[in-house]
Amino acid sequence: MASLQFSSYLLGTNHKNITPFRSSKATVQPHPPNRVPRQRPLLCSLTMNGCEASHKAPLGTVETRSLSTVTSLAAATEGLISAVSNLKSEPPPFSSGIVRLQVPVDQQIGALDWLHAQNDALPRSFFSRRSDSGRPELLQDLASENMNGICDANPVSVAGLGSAVFFRDHDPFSHDHWRSIRRFLSPNSPLIRAYGGLRFDPNGKAGVEWEQFGSFYFTVPQVEFVEFEGNSMLAATFAWEDELSWTLQNAIEALQKTLLEVSSVIVRLRRESLGVSVVSKNHVPSKGDYYPSVNSALEIIKEKYSPLSKVVLARSSRIITDTDIDPIAWLARLQCEGKDAYQFCLQPPGAPAFIGNTPERLFYRKHLGVWSEALAATRPRGDSEVSDLEIERDLLTSPKDDLEFSIVRENIREKLSAICDRVIVKPQKTVRKLARIQHLYSQLAGQLRREDDEFDILNALHPTPAVCGCPVDEARLLIKQIESFDRGMYAGPVGFFGGGESEFSVGIRSALVQKGLGALVYAGTGIVSGSDPSSEWNELELKISQFTKTLEHEPALQPIN
């Protein structure tokens, strides 16, 4: 691993250092003051790029080794350090491989709290599955396994630090890239996962803010904290490939350095407020430019022989605050509202943090079963149960919103039918309610012909009409002509590949957070026949409100039951 570098990062004026791991047992401290400055962040180099090796030859070994359960994070860290040291003296006899060491911890700790305690070390990653409690799973009749059982057995959230192996290229994500990732995964090691995402438009020119993400970026973390219901797990993973001049000794030494920096002193994040104030907001496009763009799109949609029925026009909003925004603290604040949403964070070295709180699943695959969903059309929540039901009825009976939603649902059904033996849609249309907004919604499920069709799922479903338009090629071309900013991974797939399963959300309700430059918050709206520029602009404001409101001193919003 390259030498470790340091740079300063100060959130406020209350000087209280968070002590790195040296204590004899883990400590979970109470809520800190509003503004806690952080120690200087540790910037770790990435290890090896798995895309540069041959994807055809299998690895020498892909394995997971479990240690005995411990009662504290400190004991787990010490156990991993010892186990890695033992492996150094008795190395696996292979020229390539990946090994995961994991220690169950009989303690409930939040994965975001753990990640926040790691002194902003990079690269870092976070992925939290969506909680579907209170909303029954409607597709169990097609499931090869009980969906509730699957969810219960899986992690709630995973936070990652460092990189055992990463995958990044500036060329569009291809089947060979996917095979390069799959080499490092196995059904026998289900928690070895590659977390990451893809650009919305792989052929578009990357803005400077997105350069370090490449056309796609995935990482298998060196150190992971896994949050389950009721307990936790700390894991360390190392990968090596002699072909890439990254030997087993290189991998173990790099992991040892990272483990020595891991903190077991966890400070619970405040979820009430970030304690920052918005100084300015600047939209691209501005309101004056957005209205003509919508009207131009409507003219094309209305043309007699135009194949275009929908296009999604997005907006990038630069938000400047009086102090730097801590992306992990912001994500924790968003998590208060996002129980029915995925949360994620991706941050390679030298890059801003891409965070999101998205309600939308692109797909979930478990063996041959695949699940997706249609989500489109937007209304605010009501301020009372009566007004909320009135808004729901208006959404369900609106011809314009029904058209927008039907385009999305039928497009996904058609794409799944091309790779599945049969597809079920259930229900045809209902309303899904989130904390601040509500959408039209439907679930879809299919039975894959082969597990290796996983790449085809991703290739077929992204981008959905909900974030691009229909037909996709025509919509994407119009987006490229109209939008003057780079979407990057906004509206792209964000999630993980695993040995026996994979899951991807749609990277909407997302932001790019960078020190000294504030945040870029992204939102989009679907333009169909009957759309009104003023209403669409108001919808953009509504969609970014969960980000802007959570920056200010506002209590967490609870959804209406």
Side-chain angles (χ1 to χ4, degrees):
M1 177 186 264
S3 61
L4 304 179
Q5 305 171 25
F6 297 87
S7 63
S8 60
Y9 182 27
L10 188 66
L11 280 185
T13 55
N14 243 347
H15 291 239
K16 181 180 178 182
N17 290 329
I18 299 175
T19 308
F21 165 65
R22 298 317 289 158
S23 62
S24 59
K25 66 176 184 177
T27 305
V28 181
Q29 297 181 352
H31 293 104
N34 281 346
R35 306 275 282 282
V36 179
R38 312 296 305 283
Q39 286 187 326
R40 295 180 298 174
L42 177 68
L43 303 182
C44 303
S45 296
L46 291 166
T47 47
M48 66 175 181
N49 188 343
C51 292
E52 295 175 356
S54 171
H55 60 265
K56 297 179 181 179
L59 290 184
T61 184
V62 179
E63 58 182 287
T64 296
R65 304 183 184 185
S66 295
L67 282 66
S68 300
T69 301
V70 296
T71 57
S72 71
L73 268 179
T77 307
E78 294 284 10
L80 289 175
I81 290 173
S82 176
V84 172
S85 179
N86 291 338
L87 271 170
K88 195 173 182 179
S89 60
E90 298 181 18
F94 304 103
S95 61
S96 65
I98 184 167
V99 175
R100 175 186 173 94
L101 306 169
Q102 57 188 33
V103 185
V105 181
D106 192 15
Q107 196 174 1
Q108 178 92 49
I109 300 170
L112 268 182
D113 292 332
W114 179 87
L115 187 60
H116 195 254
Q118 305 312 316
N119 301 325
D120 301 310
L122 299 180
R124 58 184 172 182
S125 55
F126 177 82
F127 186 76
S128 178
R129 303 190 68 170
R130 189 178 67 187
S131 169
D132 290 331
S133 59
R135 181 167 52 86
E137 177 60 50
L138 303 176
L139 296 163
Q140 292 192 19
D141 52 344
L142 192 70
S144 57
E145 296 182 42
N146 181 276
M147 283 295 291
N148 289 327
I150 291 171
C151 292
D152 291 343
N154 266 309
V156 174
S157 302
V158 177
L161 187 67
S163 170
V165 56
F166 72 99
F167 308 87
R168 181 173 60 187
D169 202 340
H170 291 289
D171 291 333
F173 190 67
S174 67
H175 191 264
D176 286 349
H177 290 132
W178 173 77
R179 290 178 67 187
S180 294
I181 295 174
R182 296 292 298 179
R183 287 182 70 227
F184 289 83
L185 310 176
S186 168
N188 296 325
S189 293
L191 291 182
I192 297 180
R193 295 172 170 179
Y195 296 91
L198 286 71
R199 284 176 58 82
F200 168 77
D201 184 355
N203 296 305
K205 179 176 173 55
V208 64
E209 68 274 19
W210 288 104
E211 283 181 352
Q212 296 302 315
F213 291 87
S215 178
F216 61 89
Y217 169 75
F218 287 90
T219 180
V220 178
Q222 276 183 315
V223 180
E224 281 182 26
F225 182 85
V226 186
E227 177 186 352
F228 295 98
E229 290 286 352
N231 56 17
S232 313
M233 176 184 287
L234 191 67
T237 302
F238 58 95
W240 70 100
E241 178 80 73
D242 288 355
E243 179 188 338
L244 297 180
S245 300
W246 185 256
T247 66
L248 176 61
Q249 182 176 348
N250 294 145
I252 289 178
E253 289 178 354
L255 176 57
Q256 286 176 318
K257 289 179 181 178
T258 303
L259 281 171
L260 289 174
E261 298 296 333
V262 170
S263 173
S264 293
V265 180
I266 310 300
V267 179
R268 291 195 182 99
L269 281 161
R270 288 181 63 90
R271 262 70 174 181
E272 293 83 2
S273 171
L274 292 185
V276 302
S277 297
V278 175
V279 175
S280 65
K281 279 193 294 184
N282 179 52
H283 305 301
V284 177
S286 65
K287 193 172 185 179
D289 292 331
Y290 181 76
Y291 279 39
S293 296
V294 173
N295 288 327
S296 296
L298 286 171
E299 289 177 9
I300 295 171
I301 290 171
K302 292 175 183 177
E303 287 177 2
K304 186 175 181 180
Y305 297 106
S306 172
L308 194 68
S309 58
K310 174 182 178 179
V311 64
V312 178
L313 297 182
R315 187 185 75 181
S316 169
S317 300
R318 171 74 70 182
I319 296 176
I320 302 296
T321 55
D322 58 347
T323 58
D324 280 340
I325 303 168
D326 182 335
I328 304 303
W330 201 6
L331 195 55
R333 181 70 179 84
L334 291 165
Q335 201 174 47
C336 294
E337 295 189 15
K339 300 301 182 185
D340 200 17
Y342 297 92
Q343 286 87 36
F344 61 81
C345 174
L346 292 174
Q347 190 172 18
F354 181 47
I355 66 171
N357 186 63
T358 173
E360 188 169 354
R361 170 186 287 165
L362 184 64
F363 74 88
Y364 170 64
R365 178 190 71 83
K366 180 75 172 180
H367 303 310
L368 291 176
V370 58
W371 292 263
S372 187
E373 61 191 25
L375 192 75
T378 305
R379 289 287 192 282
R381 296 298 304 270
D383 54 10
S384 68
E385 187 173 349
V386 172
S387 66
D388 198 58
L389 287 172
E390 289 176 354
I391 295 170
E392 176 185 336
R393 281 193 292 269
D394 177 65
L395 180 58
L396 283 168
T397 57
S398 164
K400 178 262 180 186
D401 291 303
D402 182 71
L403 173 62
E404 180 182 348
F405 173 72
S406 297
I407 290 171
V408 174
R409 183 192 61 214
E410 294 310 307
N411 182 271
I412 296 174
R413 185 210 302 262
E414 180 182 330
K415 288 178 175 178
L416 283 178
S417 296
I419 55 176
C420 294
D421 286 330
R422 65 189 182 109
V423 175
I424 291 176
V425 181
K426 189 178 180 181
Q428 289 296 310
K429 182 173 73 173
T430 188
V431 171
R432 182 162 169 209
K433 295 178 182 290
L434 304 173
R436 296 179 185 273
I437 55 182
Q438 46 192 319
H439 302 284
L440 293 177
Y441 173 78
S442 180
Q443 295 189 40
L444 301 93
Q447 198 79 13
L448 292 171
R449 299 182 183 98
R450 302 177 306 132
E451 280 194 41
D452 283 348
D453 290 339
E454 180 181 62
F455 174 79
D456 295 327
I457 304 172
L458 188 62
N459 201 42
L461 292 180
H462 172 69
T464 71
V467 295
C468 182
C470 191
V472 165
D473 290 340
E474 286 80 358
R476 187 181 262 164
L477 180 62
L478 184 57
I479 289 169
K480 188 175 291 186
Q481 293 171 351
I482 289 179
E483 291 182 0
S484 59
F485 66 93
D486 177 25
R487 288 192 181 190
M489 287 187 175
Y490 161 69
V494 180
F496 69 86
F497 290 112
E501 64 180 324
S502 54
E503 185 164 15
F504 281 84
S505 64
V506 181
I508 57 175
R509 315 293 152 78
S510 52
L512 203 60
V513 188
Q514 191 167 13
K515 295 174 190 175
L517 296 175
L520 288 168
V521 182
Y522 302 92
T525 60
I527 310 303
V528 297
S529 180
S531 291
D532 171 69
S534 177
S535 297
E536 301 301 333
W537 183 267
N538 290 338
E539 183 175 321
L540 292 173
E541 292 290 287
L542 178 62
K543 285 178 174 176
I544 73 165
S545 67
Q546 64 171 303
F547 280 90
T548 56
K549 296 289 187 183
T550 50
L551 285 176
E552 304 290 354
H553 301 271
E554 181 190 80
L557 189 65
Q558 297 299 320
I560 300 170
N561 295 321

